[in-house]
């Protein structure tokens, strides 16, 4: 059980880092996970809301909005809801 908790804690820490800031600080597995999760999220937003919302999120980010504020303003979701919706989207698309 301790091994699971430490892996879970590392995953939560990585997820927090992925949400905010540049990926340039990642190497190896962290970089791979960050880019893969970001691609999945963009694919979900594009398929569910359209490319115009992806573009709007990017526009808001370029204007200084935080990623979560841009999500709330565009698709009306916070990180928790996005993660939940993304998990369902990936399960529906690729299976369990």
């Amino acid at each position: 059980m301790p091994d699971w908790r430490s892996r879970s804690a590392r995953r939560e820490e990585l997820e927090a880092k992925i949400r905010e800031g540049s990926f340039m600080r990642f190497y190896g597995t962290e970089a791979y996970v960050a880019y893969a999760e970001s691609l999945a999220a963009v694919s979900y937003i594009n398929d569910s809301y359209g490319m115009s919302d992806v573009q709007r999120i990017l526009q808001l980010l370029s204007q200084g909005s935080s990623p979560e504020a841009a999500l709330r303003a565009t698709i009306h979701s916070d990180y928790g809801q996005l993660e939940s919706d993304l998990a369902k989207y990936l399960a529906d698309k690729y299976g369990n």
Side-chain angles (χ1 to χ4, degrees), residues 12-92:
E12 288 176 19
E13 181 182 329
L14 177 58
E15 287 176 356
K17 287 181 186 177
I18 289 171
R19 290 181 187 140
E20 306 285 335
S22 171
F23 291 177
M24 296 301 291
R25 66 184 181 272
F26 297 132
Y27 296 97
T29 302
E30 283 185 342
Y32 178 82
V33 170
Y35 282 102
E37 288 188 357
S38 295
L39 176 60
V42 171
S43 295
Y44 161 72
I45 294 168
N46 181 48
D47 289 352
S48 301
Y49 300 96
M51 184 53 77
S52 62
D53 279 351
V54 173
Q55 291 171 328
R56 179 71 178 135
I57 290 167
L58 293 172
Q59 180 182 31
L60 290 169
L61 292 172
S62 75
Q63 294 170 349
S65 290
S66 71
E68 189 160 17
L71 290 173
R72 286 180 187 270
T74 306
I75 63 170
H76 310 291
S77 291
D78 60 13
Y79 284 136
Q81 185 64 49
L82 176 63
E83 287 178 8
S84 175
D85 293 345
L86 179 58
K88 183 179 180 333
Y89 167 81
L90 292 173
D92 290 347

